[in-house]
Amino acid sequence: VQLVESGGGLVQVGGSLRLSCQVSGFTFDDYAIGWFRQAPGKAREGVSCMDSKDNVIYYGDSVKGRFTISSDKAMNTVYLQMNSLKAEDTGVYSCAVSVRLYGGRWYCPLFDMDYWGKGTLVTVSS
């Protein structure tokens, strides 16, 4: 299984970016896939998560109303549309997949995802 992120870069405060996560070598029909980020000097945090039926499981409190997760199954790609970017959104954004249920439901646990991409850097300048 390979996850490859793209779309990161340098953007000004208030701008937008769309990140992509292309998944290959994946044969599971049911899963949860999410975006995580790690800011410089800070712990990794969950940004957003959705299941294989395109149900959004969560958005992090700091990104609600600004970020949108979506997928294109034909392209085996998951997107993260990021609007109204703030300086504190700066960080390495990674996508990850979980193929296990947690308490009988799909979720994106920060420390227990099954497959990870290497990440893409987002820098928001003020």
Side-chain angles (χ1 to χ4, degrees), residues 7-19 37 66-67 80-91 93 120-126:
L10 176 64
V11 63
Q12 290 188 329
V13 169
S16 297
L17 280 176
R18 188 178 78 159
L19 305 183
R37 70 184 181 186
R66 300 188 298 121
F67 290 12
L80 185 69
Q81 177 67 44
M82 307 187 295
N83 298 328
S84 302
L85 283 162
K86 304 176 181 180
E88 52 264 41
D89 293 319
T90 293
Y93 285 70
T120 185
L121 177 63
V122 172
T123 303
V124 185
S125 66
S126 55

Side-chain angles (χ1 to χ4, degrees), residues 44-122:
R44 181 182 281 168
E45 62 175 342
V47 174
S48 185
C49 176
M50 68 188 302
D51 66 18
S52 54
K53 294 179 173 55
D54 291 342
N55 298 306
V56 177
I57 298 169
Y58 70 72
Y59 287 106
D61 288 341
S62 61
V63 307
K64 284 178 183 175
R66 300 188 298 121
F67 290 12
T68 303
I69 190 171
S70 63
S71 73
D72 183 336
K73 301 251 184 340
M75 298 295 290
N76 293 325
T77 301
V78 174
Y79 302 100
L80 185 69
Q81 177 67 44
M82 307 187 295
N83 298 328
S84 302
L85 283 162
K86 304 176 181 180
E88 52 264 41
D89 293 319
T90 293
V92 176
Y93 285 70
S94 303
C95 60
V97 172
S98 172
V99 296
R100 294 170 287 160
L101 291 168
Y102 288 85
R105 64 188 183 98
W106 291 107
Y107 195 68
C108 296
L110 178 59
F111 298 109
D112 204 18
M113 300 296 281
D114 294 300
Y115 305 100
W116 285 89
K118 292 183 178 180
T120 185
L121 177 63
V122 172

